[in-house]
Structures are given as C-alpha cells and as structure tokens.
Amino acid sequence: MIPSEDSSARKKTIEEKLKQEEETLSFIKESLEKSDQLTNNMVSILSSFESRLMKLENSIIPVHKQTETLQRLQENVDRTLSCLDHVISYYHVATETERVIREGPSGRLEEYLGCIAKIQKAVEYFQDNNPDSPELNRVKSLFERGKESLDTEFRSLLQRYSKPVPPILILDLIGTEEEMESQEETVLEHLPEGILQDVIRISKWLVEYGRNQDFMNVYYQIRSSQLDRSIKGLKDHLRKNSSSSGITYSPAVQNKRKDTPTKKPAKRPGTIRKAQNLLKQYSQHGLDGKKGGSSLGVLEGHEQDSRGRYHGETVGEKHGPASGKEDALDLETDTYIYCISAFVRLAQSEYQLLMYIIPEHHQKKTFDSLIQETLDNLIQEGENIVSAAKKANARHDFTSVLSIFPILRHLKLTKPEFDKVLQGTAASTKNKLPNLITSIETTGAKALEDFADGIKNEQKETNVSKDGTVHEITSNAILFLQQLLEFQETAGAMLASQETSSTASSYNSEFNRRLLSTYICKVLGNLQLKLTHRVKTYEDPALKAIFLHNNFNYILKSLEKSELLQLVSVTQKEPDETYRYHIEQQIQLYQRSWLKVTESLADRNMPVIQGAKLKDKERQIIKERFKSFNENLEELCKIQKSWAIPDKRQRERIRQVQKSIVLEAYGAFLQKYGTGVNFTKNPEKYIKYSVDQVGEMIEKLFDTSA
C-alpha cells in the first residue's frame, strides 16, 4: 500500500507541473501575439512619421537656402556701407584737420601728429585709388604744410630753449673729476625734459615720414652756435674775474659739497707773472734768507743789499705797461687752457644729446659739423698764441715764450679724451689738434735752442755792475731753467720732437729727461763761457774773481735748491763739485788781492832787533812797513766795501778767512815791532789801528751800509 501511495503522489506532482507548463506556454503565446501587434503598430507609426519628415524637409530646405542668401546680401551691404564710410572719411580729412594744421603743433604735438597721420593715410588712399581726385591735391597741400610746421616747430623749440651753458656750471663740469671724486657727477640739461621729448618725437617723424634731412642742418647750426657762445661766455667770465682769488662753483654744485661747501677750483699760477715774482724774490731776499720764499726754493743766504737787486733790470722789476702786458699774456694762457677743457666736456655732452635726436647713421657727420666752428676758433687761438710765441722768440723775450709750455702740456694730457670725443669724425677734424701740438712743439724747441745759443752769441753788451754782483744774464738764465722744471716732460718732448736719430724713434720719459739734461748742461756751459767773456770788462783781478764767484755760487745754490741738480746729474757727473771747485778757485784768486797787505807784515828784509836802540835805516824800514800796511789796508777796505757778495754765508766765510789771515799776521807784526820797539817819536802816526780795529774794518767788507 505504501508504494501505491507514493506513485499516486508522484503522478499528481507530474500532472501539476505539466499543467503549469501549459499555462506558461499559453501566456508566452499570448505575449508574442501582443508583441507582434505592437510592432506592427510601431512600424506603421514610424512609416507615417518618416513620410511627414520627408514632406517637412522638402518644404524647409528651400527656405533655409533663401535665408542664407539674404544673410550674405546683408553682410555685403554692411561691408559696402563700411567701405563707403571709410572712403567718405578720406574726403572729410582735409576739413577735419585743416584747423589743427593751420594753428600748428605748438602746445599740442600729440594731437597734431595724429592729424598728420590721418592726412598721410588720405594721401596714400587717393594716390592708390583716385589719383585724379581734387581731394588728393588738397590733402597733399595739408601734408606739406604740416611737415613745414613740424620743421618750424623743431627749429623754434631748439632756438627758444637752447641756451649757452653758464660759465660757473662749465667750471663745475671741468672740475668734476678732480674736485668731486666722491660726489655726483655734474650733468648738463641742454633742454627741459618735456621739450627734449617733443624734439625727439618731431625728429623721428621727420626721418620716418617727412623724408627730410634739413632738420639735421638746423640742429647742428643752432647747437653749434650755443656751443660757441658757451665757450665765449667762459672767456668773458674768466677775464672779468681774473683779479679774483678763485672762481666759485654754481650754488647747485656747492650744495653737493657737504665737506667743503666753499671750496674753489685751484687756479693755475700765471706762468709769466710767476717768473717775474720768482726773479724778484731771488734778487730781494731778506737778511735772514727767508723773505720772498717761493715754490722753487729761496737761495739760502742771499740777501738784499743797498742796491736792492742783482745787476741789470730784470723782468721781475717791470711795472706799468710791461707788467700789464705780461698779465694779459698769463690770462690768455690760462683762459685758453680752461677753454680746451671746457670744449672737451661740452662736446661730450653735445654728443650725448645728439644721440637722442639724430638718427644713428647721421650722428657722426652731424656732430662733426656741430663742433667745427668752435674747434676751428680754438685751434686758431692756439695758432695765434704760437705766432705770438714766435714773435717773442724773435725779440728774445723767452719768458713770454714760456706761455706755450703749460698749453702744450695740457693739450697732451687732454689729447686722449679729445681723440675719444672726435672718434668717427672726418680725418681733417681729427688732425687739427695733433697739428697744433706739432706746431707748438716745433716753436718751443726752437725757442729753447735760441735761448741756449743766445746766451753764447748775445750781441748786446750789457755793462757789468761795479760791485761784481750776480749778472742779469745769470739770474735770467737760471730763472728760465727753473721755470722749465715745472714742464720737464713737456720741454723734453719738445726737444725729442726735433730729434732725427734712430734712438728718437720711440720717445719715452727717460729719453726725454736725458735730452733735457743735455740741454740744461748746454745752457750752463754757454753761460759760463759768456761770464768768462764778460769778466774781462773788469780791470781789477780781485773784482773779476768776486764777479765769477758770485755768479758760480748763484748757479750752484740755484741747482741745489731745485731739481736742476738732479736733472743735470743725469748726463754730467757731480756738477755741484765742479762748481764748488770753480768757486774755491775764485776765492783763492780774490785772496791774492790781500797779499800786498800781508806782505807788508812779512819778516822778509826786516831788521833784526838786537837792542833797544835802532839804527835810522832800521827805523825807516819799520815805518815804511807800517805805512804800507795802513795804506794798502785802507785802500782795499775802501774799494772792497762797495763790492757785493749777496750770499750771506759766503760773505761771512770770505771775511772770516781773510780776517784770520790778516789779524794773525798783523798781531804778530805789531807785537814784534810795535810794542817795545822805539822806532818813532809819533807811534800813533804809524800804528793807526789796533788788531780789533783791523778786524772791524775787514768785517765791513762788501757792505756799503757799514
């Protein structure tokens, strides 16, 4: 029973599953039918929609095409209208800009240039599109008028605002490097900043659009005139202030000098006036040797005697017109040196200004033209100074010739900067300064040689002084040589410039120094020959010796108290010892004049004193000796009292040596024959002087005031 029940249950279960499957199949069948129906409906709808879309497309596409065509037409119309407006605007340019062009660019350069730009575009349009239009001539005329107005404005701005640089500011500029090393450099403002910018804009426009270079000529003419006026203003300032102790800086620059607010530029001592003063000092030293000291050294021991000077009229004693003439020469020299320095600085400043305004490829040529007038004037002034030096040399006024030495030295020192400033200018411009330097060197070298030869070959016979003091030719020659010390390099270069030997092919300082040493030795040699010739004028051998002693001693002291001795020693061995030998030789010759005094006191041919009583002959011999001594002593003291030995030390030395010799001999003679020997009833008649009195007489030698 149990298996049967299981089978029945399994069967029932199978039947239920079959039934469920049938139901499922039936549901699926129904769903498929519904799906087919829906699909058919969708296909029908899509087919209908497709049909409608095709109809719509067939209707819309023609409309779209028409719309695109209309849009293109609209754009073409707009562009055409814009072009018409643009073209029409060119016809209005003349009317719109005429008032501005007519009134000019003054005060409204930006607006004016804008109008010019519009006119230029209108000209280009009509030239390209309608060259026969009357408007072309109208805008062309406006453009030319505008260009002329810009030219005029360019000239007007430069003329109105270009001013000469004030002399005080130029002096500040010259002294900037030396006097203001730690201070801000002085900068020149040739044009106000706003005006400068306007000038730059106009120049750029004229170059780019005006196709006109005439403004460059205008520029260099106006700036050249101001440069020349600046230099002339400096000259006038220096001449007006020549008597002042110094030239002040401008207040602006003074304020920058916090440490030295009142500092003044070093004023170079006048060459000619300094020569006069030195010679006067050398010829008028006080008794202590300190009066009238100078930078070249006072001759120690030389003093002013009753005559108050060395023999002859020296340049130091000139007054009145001669002095004024030499002051003028000094001023001319100093002024020229200042102007050369000023030119270099101003030219540098002008070139910096020019670089902003003139196109680069025209700058050098314009600058060359700009500086030409001022440079020519300076070179001509230099040639005039050279010409004056040549005339002075011809009349043997060698002190005046010295004026070219500081000028030459300054030109050589300035030449590197000069060459840098003139870089790129024409060769003729560059050669002007070297040619002037060569001319000065040639003139100076000839003056030096003429001076040396003039000492030896001087035809004018200047009378020697009666007192045998230093001769004028000696003091002037030494003074001239001492003046050369300030210009050693310059004088050496002058001499070297005339050398033709192979050794002179490469000049250097040592070579120049040897040439100058040789030259000074030549001058001193010629001077010694001349003195030897002049001494023949004296008849008294002792006075001859005093004359040569004074001159040789003066030369030696001058050499020792300056660099002359070192300079002479370059080519001559121990020149000081040579002069000392000559001096000692002359002292010995002078001392011979006292032999007739000392010979009167010699024991030769004197009687031998054997007792208290002398023979008449013996008494007469002693009388004659005392008489001879008295007469010779009085004669020599009277004569030699008026002689001069300016050197105090030498004078005292010669007195003391002679005093020692005479007093020793006289004291011994007096002791032997004057006291205790009864050779006369009137001893005071023959023994007129005591030993001390004789010493006092000798102490008064070479002193007219005693």
Side-chain angles (χ1 to χ4, degrees):
M1 289 304 288
I2 295 172
S4 167
E5 289 178 359
D6 292 336
S7 173
S8 175
R10 189 180 301 112
K11 183 177 178 182
K12 186 178 180 179
T13 301
I14 292 170
E15 288 177 354
E16 288 178 355
K17 289 182 178 180
L18 289 172
K19 186 177 179 180
Q20 289 177 352
E21 290 177 356
E22 287 178 356
E23 289 176 356
T24 301
L25 289 172
S26 176
F27 178 76
I28 291 172
K29 184 177 179 181
E30 290 178 1
S31 296
L32 288 173
E33 288 176 354
K34 288 181 181 180
S35 178
D36 288 340
Q37 185 179 358
L38 290 171
T39 300
N40 291 332
N41 290 337
M42 181 61 69
V43 169
S44 175
I45 292 170
L46 290 174
S47 298
S48 174
F49 185 71
E50 182 180 6
S51 174
R52 290 178 181 179
L53 281 176
M54 289 180 64
K55 289 180 182 179
L56 180 62
E57 182 178 353
N58 291 334
S59 300
I60 291 300
I61 286 176
V63 174
H64 179 68
K65 289 182 178 178
Q66 289 177 359
T67 302
E68 283 185 343
T69 302
L70 288 174
Q71 286 179 341
R72 279 197 301 272
L73 289 173
Q74 179 64 38
E75 289 175 357
N76 290 338
V77 169
D78 290 342
R79 282 198 292 268
T80 301
L81 290 175
S82 177
C83 288
L84 285 173
D85 288 340
H86 184 67
V87 169
I88 290 171
S89 69
Y90 288 129
Y91 286 87
H92 294 160
V93 165
T95 303
E96 293 173 351
T97 61
E98 185 174 11
R99 180 183 61 83
V100 176
I101 298 301
R102 184 176 63 253
E103 292 177 356
S106 181
R108 51 177 176 182
L109 181 61
E110 193 71 30
E111 179 185 2
Y112 193 85
L113 291 177
C115 291
I116 289 287
K118 290 181 181 179
I119 295 171
Q120 188 175 11
K121 290 180 180 179
V123 171
E124 292 172 354
Y125 169 79
F126 288 120
Q127 285 178 337
D128 294 339
N129 299 282
N130 193 1
D132 297 328
S133 172
E135 284 296 321
L136 175 60
N137 293 331
R138 187 179 178 189
V139 290
K140 269 187 174 181
S141 174
L142 276 178
F143 183 79
E144 291 300 322
R145 185 190 300 176
K147 186 170 69 173
E148 290 175 2
S149 295
L150 285 175
D151 279 331
T152 302
E153 180 69 4
F154 183 85
R155 179 191 293 271
S156 176
L157 289 175
L158 283 177
Q159 288 179 332
R160 191 181 313 136
Y161 293 98
S162 290
K163 305 293 182 184
V165 181
I168 298 297
L169 196 55
I170 295 177
L171 292 171
D172 290 336
L173 192 66
I174 295 173
T176 294
E177 293 182 0
E178 298 175 357
E179 303 293 335
M180 300 176 60
E181 293 180 355
S182 61
Q183 301 291 340
E184 181 183 352
E185 182 179 357
T186 303
V187 178
L188 294 180
E189 185 183 72
H190 294 286
L191 297 171
E193 183 61 28
I195 301 301
L196 175 60
Q197 294 304 320
D198 286 351
V199 170
I200 292 172
R201 291 205 62 185
I202 294 174
S203 69
K204 287 182 177 179
W205 189 93
L206 291 173
V207 171
E208 188 173 355
Y209 302 108
R211 297 178 180 82
N212 181 5
Q213 297 182 2
D214 290 344
F215 79 95
M216 300 181 197
N217 296 331
V218 170
Y219 178 84
Y220 92 71
Q221 289 169 0
I222 294 175
R223 294 307 308 168
S224 174
S225 173
Q226 298 306 322
L227 176 61
D228 192 51
R229 288 176 63 190
S230 298
I231 297 294
K232 289 178 179 177
L234 176 62
K235 290 179 189 175
D236 293 340
H237 177 81
L238 292 173
R239 287 166 181 161
K240 290 178 182 177
N241 293 275
S242 60
S243 59
S244 63
S245 59
I247 304 168
T248 57
Y249 290 103
S250 68
V253 176
Q254 276 193 346
N255 291 336
K256 298 176 185 177
R257 290 180 170 80
K258 298 179 181 179
D259 296 332
T260 54
T262 58
K263 189 174 183 180
K264 298 179 181 180
K267 186 173 176 65
R268 189 184 67 81
T271 302
I272 311 306
R273 178 54 53 202
K274 184 166 68 175
Q276 297 171 354
N277 292 340
L278 280 172
L279 186 54
K280 192 170 184 180
Q281 289 162 4
Y282 284 136
S283 60
Q284 294 186 355
H285 296 310
L287 292 175
D288 58 357
K290 296 180 180 179
K291 181 179 179 180
S294 74
S295 60
L296 291 176
V298 175
L299 297 187
E300 185 177 355
H302 282 72
E303 65 178 28
Q304 180 182 9
D305 59 14
S306 60
R307 291 162 295 283
R309 60 177 175 82
Y310 292 122
H311 174 62
E313 182 185 359
T314 66
V315 280
E317 295 173 310
K318 291 179 181 178
H319 301 284
S323 176
K325 180 180 178 182
E326 286 153 353
D327 279 338
L329 183 57
D330 257 345
L331 176 60
E332 182 182 5
T333 300
D334 292 341
T335 300
Y336 188 72
I337 289 175
Y338 275 117
C339 288
I340 289 293
S341 294
F343 172 79
V344 173
R345 293 287 180 266
L346 292 176
Q348 289 172 340
S349 183
E350 285 292 346
Y351 189 74
Q352 291 172 356
L353 176 66
L354 176 144
M355 290 172 64
Y356 293 112
I357 300 172
I358 304 300
E360 184 176 359
H361 54 288
H362 291 288
Q363 288 174 0
K364 293 296 183 182
K365 183 179 179 181
T366 304
F367 180 69
D368 194 346
S369 301
L370 189 155
I371 63 172
Q372 204 62 230
E373 180 180 357
T374 306
L375 179 59
D376 285 343
N377 290 340
L378 285 176
I379 296 299
Q380 184 57 52
E381 286 181 34
E383 292 294 347
N384 292 341
I385 292 174
V386 171
S387 177
K390 289 179 179 178
K391 293 177 181 178
N393 186 41
R395 62 178 183 268
H396 292 177
D397 181 9
F398 298 107
T399 304
S400 297
V401 177
L402 285 171
S403 63
I404 66 174
F405 282 73
I407 292 175
L408 178 60
R409 180 174 64 182
H410 187 73
L411 290 180
K412 286 193 168 185
L413 290 174
T414 311
K415 188 176 182 299
E417 283 189 279
F418 223 101
D419 293 340
K420 186 177 179 181
V421 169
L422 300 184
Q423 188 177 5
T425 57
S428 58
T429 303
K430 293 178 183 177
N431 291 334
K432 287 180 179 180
L433 183 66
N435 291 341
L436 177 60
I437 289 176
T438 301
S439 178
I440 295 176
E441 282 185 333
T442 303
T443 303
K446 186 177 187 305
L448 290 176
E449 291 301 324
D450 287 352
F451 177 78
D453 294 339
I455 293 176
K456 180 175 64 175
N457 303 322
E458 185 183 10
Q459 298 299 319
K460 179 184 175 183
E461 290 294 333
T462 305
N463 293 329
V464 293
S465 65
K466 296 179 180 180
D467 57 9
T469 191
V470 177
H471 196 274
E472 176 187 3
I473 193 172
T474 302
S475 56
N476 287 345
I478 292 299
L479 175 62
F480 184 83
L481 295 180
Q482 286 173 328
Q483 288 294 292
L484 292 183
L485 289 177
E486 187 179 351
F487 311 103
Q488 291 184 45
E489 284 291 333
T490 304
M494 281 181 176
L495 296 169
S497 68
Q498 306 305 307
E499 289 290 311
T500 56
S501 62
S502 58
T503 56
S505 59
S506 57
Y507 300 147
N508 55 62
S509 296
E510 184 58 31
F511 178 76
N512 294 349
R513 185 174 173 82
R514 291 188 65 84
L515 281 178
L516 184 58
S517 175
T518 302
Y519 171 77
I520 293 175
C521 290
K522 178 181 178 181
V523 171
L524 294 176
N526 290 349
L527 177 59
Q528 188 168 339
L529 289 174
K530 194 65 178 179
L531 291 173
T532 305
H533 173 71
R534 288 288 174 87
V535 78
K536 296 177 182 178
T537 307
Y538 294 109
E539 296 181 358
D540 191 330
L543 186 53
K544 290 181 180 180
I546 290 296
F547 173 78
L548 291 178
H549 162 273
N550 285 334
N551 284 274
F552 291 152
N553 184 65
Y554 181 84
I555 294 171
L556 175 61
K557 294 297 182 182
S558 299
L559 294 178
E560 290 178 334
K561 291 296 178 180
S562 67
E563 293 181 41
L564 283 173
L565 184 60
Q566 295 93 316
L567 202 53
V568 173
S569 299
V570 172
T571 53
Q572 183 176 328
K573 186 177 180 181
E574 297 181 347
D576 52 337
E577 292 301 323
T578 301
Y579 278 105
R580 287 193 180 93
Y581 170 77
H582 290 318
I583 291 169
E584 291 303 319
Q585 196 176 39
Q586 298 307 318
I587 291 176
Q588 292 173 12
L589 290 174
Y590 162 75
Q591 288 173 345
R592 292 181 183 178
S593 66
W594 285 84
L595 288 178
K596 58 183 180 180
V597 174
T598 55
E599 284 177 354
S600 300
L601 306 174
D603 286 337
R604 190 177 63 254
N605 298 325
M606 287 296 291
V608 178
I609 307 299
Q610 296 179 345
K613 189 174 181 180
L614 297 176
K615 297 178 182 180
D616 292 342
K617 184 178 181 181
E618 292 174 339
R619 285 197 298 270
Q620 189 61 34
I621 291 174
I622 295 174
K623 289 179 181 179
E624 289 296 331
R625 288 297 186 92
F626 272 109
K627 182 180 179 182
S628 175
F629 171 79
N630 293 334
E631 290 176 350
N632 290 330
L633 176 65
E634 291 169 353
E635 180 184 6
L636 282 180
C637 288
K638 180 180 179 181
I639 294 173
Q640 295 184 9
K641 182 179 180 180
S642 63
W643 294 357
I645 299 181
D647 189 329
K648 183 178 180 180
R649 290 185 179 180
Q650 285 294 98
R651 182 169 67 244
E652 289 301 319
R653 177 192 168 204
I654 292 173
R655 282 174 179 171
Q656 293 306 317
V657 170
Q658 202 57 52
K659 181 179 175 182
S660 175
I661 295 172
V662 174
L663 293 189
E664 182 181 356
Y666 184 61
F669 187 84
L670 191 60
Q671 184 178 6
K672 188 172 183 179
Y673 299 103
T675 59
V677 178
N678 187 15
F679 67 93
T680 179
K681 293 179 180 180
N682 302 306
E684 66 277 0
K685 179 179 179 182
Y686 297 97
I687 306 176
K688 297 174 65 174
Y689 306 105
S690 65
V691 175
D692 291 339
Q693 287 175 325
V694 172
E696 290 174 359
M697 293 175 69
I698 296 176
E699 285 288 347
K700 295 178 181 179
L701 294 178
F702 319 117
D703 187 0
T704 56
S705 63

